[in-house]
Amino acid sequence: MSLWMLFKDELNGFYRSKVMLALWVGLPAMALVLYFLTDDIEGMPITMFVGLLVSSIGGLLTSVLIVVNILNEKERKVYDLFFVRPIRRENLLLAKFAAVFLCVMIASFIAIFLAAFLDSVTEGYGVREMLSSISDSLLITISLMAINSSAGVLIGVFSPSVLVGVLLVLFGSNQLSSLVLLPMITGWGEMWMVALASIGISFLLLFGASILFDRKEL
Amino acid sequence: MVGNGGEMVAVRGLYKRYKELPVLLNLSFDIPRGSIFGYIGPNGSGKTTTIKIMTGLIRDFQGDVMIEGRSIRNWGKELSSMIGYLPQQTSLQEWRTVDQSLHTFGRLSGLSENEVKERMAEVVDVLGISEYRERKVSKLSGGTLQKVGMAQAMLHRPKLLVLDEPVAGLDPESRVLFKGLFRKLSREGTTIFFSSHILSDIEDIADTIGILGQGMMRYIGSMDELRARVGRTTEIRLETVEPVPSDALLERIPGISKVERVADNRFHIMLEDLREVDAVVDRTIRAVMAESIHVRAIHPNRQSLESLYLSYADAEGKL
């Protein structure tokens, strides 16, 4: 009960925040503008290009958003009033992870669907090609966002300050999420491997964050 | 069984250290059911640490705290529903409104949807914050935020309220409101444990006082017991209409140990034995009247908690 309630609360907080509003409009706009400004992307469909771009930029923003949010709340002792109530401490983290992940995913979906529409108009792609392109882009985006979000949660829990947290995100979570794309980029792996790897890594990161959060005296 | 008698809280042998720094050293005390317990001590003496252990926020410690006979180590729904906690500074998620914050805390404390709505209306009314219900927490003043903090602490009708510096930062009107509320809740059977640096507030409302020093409970009891134990000789303040020509007139009155002249017609008179205060007042009036000097005012001046606390610190060494 508490997880669902906390998730609804966090969602309520995030989707109306200024950062999220900027993302929902800014992310699709930024991806499309960058596409049209880039001369040569070797015949890559807009949908795929936007998918990669959105997962990279969106992933970074997601992890920064989560890290800053958790560290600010930790520093201000916001969690004390939750901890004195009968809830599982990790539910606070899971609710935050799920809310931010969902919000950024919606922003990414908007960008990718917009790109797919442009592909179909400019390149004359059929429905089947469009769906294939969208599904690949969405899978990449979801995978990278999941890793970035969960890494953001873990860094938020153990990091001593916002500055350290953001640096760790820049040099840690973003690189980690890129690693799972290697099998696909090098050509020896499949998309399902990327998805599986990202689920596993995200689970491990969240599990670690939950254990730390439960044991830590904040 | 420890902690299962008439006391609401039984603290037994608490020991807590932060790295190499010991904060609590074998701290033990009881809090009687329905009492208002004022917890005082110097900065860094371990007041907040005690409070955080009592509320389950610190779990790595030695010793035990029993609340109505239940060990704090078995923290769960039953214990947490018994406790209401107000931290030193109320910090809430800033994107929430007052209503959203209270609603979540009420529901998490186990109240049903209807109960939450009903209780929210009651507590915001009692605390005078009804007009702020739809306002975002980030837009509230410090005092109003503290009232929201108090609202969430009492929302689920806890049997024990644990309050860390609850009146710090409040304006005089709000302090009076909080103190009145504490008295009312205490009359209704709620046990209140609160720490404060404002000793006059503790003096006003606490029926039991605990003085913490160097990680141990240095004193526990009522104000009167503390006064009897460490109080300096009660002082009498005397003001006459005409000037008193010589201190000797007062110094030779039996029961007076020292006379301090503040002005020609005003004196602070120290007593040898505070139990003789009434007799000394009577003798003093007679003595000055015999010299054709009229008394404008005479009254015993009881020591404040602040003064008693300092006397206690003097008597016991550094707290």
Side-chain angles (χ1 to χ4, degrees):
Chain A
M1 193 273 276
S2 71
L3 179 59
W4 177 240
M5 188 196 300
L6 291 169
F7 168 68
K8 282 195 297 181
D9 278 0
E10 291 285 351
L11 199 58
N12 192 29
F14 275 115
Y15 90 85
R16 286 192 299 198
S17 69
K18 289 185 182 102
V19 178
M20 283 314 304
L21 284 176
L23 270 181
W24 288 20
V25 178
L27 212 52
M30 187 165 49
L32 293 177
V33 167
L34 278 175
Y35 175 80
F36 288 115
L37 289 179
T38 312
D39 283 342
D40 181 20
I41 50 172
E42 293 174 349
M44 188 188 280
I46 303 178
T47 317
M48 184 58 83
F49 176 79
V50 168
L52 284 170
L53 205 64
V54 159
S55 55
S56 170
I57 298 169
L60 181 65
L61 288 172
T62 312
S63 43
V64 169
L65 191 65
I66 292 184
V67 163
V68 172
N69 190 273
I70 291 177
L71 284 169
N72 273 337
E73 291 185 348
K74 221 171 68 174
E75 202 171 282
R76 291 175 44 242
K77 307 275 179 202
V78 163
Y79 299 126
D80 282 4
L81 292 179
F82 288 95
F83 291 169
V84 296
R85 292 179 160 84
I87 61 163
R88 294 170 69 94
R89 291 185 174 198
E90 61 267 28
N91 284 356
L92 282 165
L93 295 180
L94 296 177
K96 202 174 287 294
F97 163 80
V100 176
F101 183 64
L102 183 65
C103 283
V104 181
M105 281 314 302
I106 291 171
S108 307
F109 280 16
I110 294 171
I112 288 168
F113 277 102
L114 194 62
F117 174 73
L118 281 176
D119 264 341
S120 70
V121 171
T122 56
E123 307 293 332
Y125 288 146
V127 175
R128 181 173 293 194
E129 290 153 318
M130 237 178 75
L131 285 177
S132 161
S133 181
I134 285 176
S135 65
D136 284 354
S137 296
L138 283 183
L139 199 63
I140 292 171
T141 308
I142 292 172
S143 302
L144 300 197
M145 295 265 184
I147 294 176
N148 271 305
S149 306
S150 45
V153 171
L154 179 65
I155 293 169
V157 169
F158 75 74
S159 182
S161 71
V162 173
L163 181 65
V164 174
V166 171
L167 286 174
L168 285 172
V169 162
L170 290 175
F171 295 107
S173 73
N174 225 27
Q175 316 309 321
L176 183 67
S177 63
S178 307
L179 277 180
V180 297
L181 284 181
L182 277 180
M184 206 188 72
I185 292 167
T186 51
W188 61 266
E190 301 284 333
M191 280 304 284
W192 65 266
M193 289 181 182
V194 174
L196 207 64
S198 55
I199 290 171
I201 293 172
S202 303
F203 177 79
L204 282 176
L205 292 171
L206 283 175
F207 184 69
S210 298
I211 290 177
L212 262 180
F213 198 56
D214 191 48
R215 292 190 180 164
K216 220 169 181 216
E217 279 173 15
L218 298 173
Chain B
M1 185 181 158
V2 171
N4 213 10
E7 69 275 3
M8 180 72 195
V9 181
V11 175
R12 293 290 177 268
L14 278 193
Y15 185 91
K16 172 70 186 170
R17 65 191 307 156
Y18 293 109
K19 291 184 181 160
E20 293 307 307
L21 181 72
V23 178
L24 299 178
L25 299 163
N26 196 24
L27 177 71
S28 298
F29 62 95
D30 292 339
I31 304 175
R33 199 181 301 274
S35 66
I36 303 181
F37 190 104
Y39 197 42
I40 54 179
N43 288 334
S45 60
K47 297 190 297 295
T48 297
T49 300
T50 314
I51 284 174
K52 288 199 165 186
I53 289 174
M54 283 172 71
T55 48
L57 290 171
I58 291 178
R59 295 185 284 187
D60 177 24
F61 62 91
Q62 289 168 33
D64 206 354
V65 178
M66 313 288 281
I67 296 174
E68 280 210 323
R70 297 170 184 84
S71 169
I72 204 85
R73 292 191 182 280
N74 304 319
W75 186 259
K77 196 172 179 179
E78 203 177 7
L79 266 176
S80 62
S81 65
M82 268 195 249
I83 298 175
Y85 169 58
L86 174 66
Q88 223 169 65
Q89 278 185 323
T90 303
S91 289
L92 306 166
Q93 289 178 313
E94 290 183 329
W95 48 266
R96 290 177 190 264
T97 62
V98 170
D99 256 9
Q100 284 169 345
S101 300
L102 294 179
H103 179 266
T104 297
F105 288 133
R107 293 287 284 133
L108 290 176
S109 294
L111 299 181
S112 70
E113 194 64 37
N114 286 339
E115 283 173 323
V116 167
K117 283 179 183 157
E118 194 181 304
R119 278 296 287 164
M120 274 166 62
E122 279 172 29
V123 294
V124 296
D125 185 47
V126 165
L127 288 157
I129 50 172
S130 300
E131 62 190 288
Y132 301 105
R133 289 182 70 164
E134 296 306 322
R135 195 169 292 186
K136 273 197 172 183
V137 163
S138 56
K139 307 281 181 203
L140 299 177
S141 69
T144 309
L145 197 58
Q146 193 74 343
K147 287 179 187 172
V148 177
M150 189 62 207
Q152 64 76 32
M154 57 190 279
L155 197 60
H156 54 293
R157 292 194 179 89
K159 291 180 180 176
L160 171 67
L161 273 173
V162 180
L163 315 169
D164 197 357
E165 306 269 357
V167 290
L170 291 179
D171 58 37
E173 199 181 334
S174 302
R175 277 165 63 181
V176 170
L177 173 80
F178 267 47
K179 287 192 273 186
L181 182 61
F182 295 164
R183 285 191 202 101
K184 180 175 172 283
L185 289 168
S186 172
R187 279 196 302 273
E188 290 167 359
T190 308
T191 306
I192 298 172
F193 176 86
F194 79 105
S195 70
S196 181
H197 277 119
I198 306 167
L199 301 184
S200 59
D201 288 329
I202 288 196
E203 187 174 8
D204 280 354
I205 54 171
D207 41 43
T208 310
I209 294 160
I211 299 179
L212 183 69
Q214 294 179 329
M216 287 180 274
M217 192 61 91
R218 296 307 180 114
Y219 170 81
I220 187 163
S222 67
M223 270 289 289
D224 286 340
E225 286 163 355
L226 181 63
R227 194 171 279 122
R229 189 160 151 186
V230 294
R232 289 183 298 136
T233 314
T234 303
E235 196 178 84
I236 290 175
R237 303 222 165 163
L238 168 71
E239 186 176 350
T240 56
V241 178
E242 297 84 10
V244 176
S246 165
D247 294 357
L249 170 69
L250 300 169
E251 282 167 352
R252 61 174 175 253
I253 298 171
I256 288 179
S257 64
K258 190 180 169 193
V259 173
E260 282 176 13
R261 182 185 283 268
V262 182
D264 282 351
N265 63 335
R266 285 196 289 130
F267 298 87
H268 292 173
I269 299 167
M270 312 297 173
L271 304 189
E272 284 168 356
D273 184 347
L274 61 92
R275 287 168 297 189
E276 288 204 16
V277 61
D278 293 333
V280 174
V281 166
D282 191 48
R283 283 180 215 135
T284 306
I285 293 171
R286 286 172 192 278
V288 293
M289 294 286 280
E291 298 294 321
S292 301
I293 298 168
H294 295 90
V295 175
R296 181 173 288 152
I298 183 165
H299 59 90
N301 185 38
R302 290 161 74 85
Q303 269 188 279
S304 65
L305 178 58
E306 189 167 277
S307 153
L308 284 170
Y309 176 76
L310 293 173
S311 303
Y312 194 82
D314 270 353
E316 297 285 313
K318 193 174 180 288
L319 280 176

